[in-house]
């Protein structure tokens, strides 16, 4: 199933009741930023957020690991 055109990743994750999200670090950072803007304590029902890609010690990736979903 594909995310409808015009729907944000965050809205799609919440709408579908996803409990596991896998993607690249850039998408994870975008989703976390959207969560902060929406002032949501959680990203829907997500229990696990797996991100892959190149190693990156940036502050953004550290925030993903410490987000406390």
């Amino acid at each position: 199933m594909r995310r409808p055109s015009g729907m944000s990743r965050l809205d799609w994750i919440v709408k579908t009741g996803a409990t596991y999200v896998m993607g690249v670090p850039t998408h994870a950072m975008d989703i976390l930023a959207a969560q902060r803007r929406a002032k949501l304590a959680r990203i829907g029902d997500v229990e696990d957020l797996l991100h892959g890609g190149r190693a990156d010690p940036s502050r953004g990736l550290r925030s993903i690991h410490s987000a406390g979903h």
Side-chain angles (χ1 to χ4, degrees):
M1 185 172 2
R2 295 185 70 111
R3 176 171 49 103
S5 178
M7 180 178 275
S8 73
R9 288 180 180 92
L10 176 63
D11 289 344
W12 182 239
I13 291 167
V14 172
K15 179 181 172 76
T16 60
T19 58
Y20 177 87
V21 177
M22 184 172 83
V24 297
T26 302
H27 292 159
M29 289 185 293
D30 291 345
I31 292 164
L32 289 171
Q35 175 193 12
R36 283 189 296 275
R37 284 192 303 274
K39 297 182 175 147
L40 297 174
R42 295 183 46 90
I43 301 174
D45 295 326
V46 173
E47 296 291 331
D48 294 302
L49 177 62
L50 174 67
H51 60 84
R54 68 180 178 83
D56 185 352
S58 73
R59 180 175 55 98
L61 287 181
R62 284 192 298 276
S63 73
I64 291 170
H65 293 291
S66 64
H69 303 284

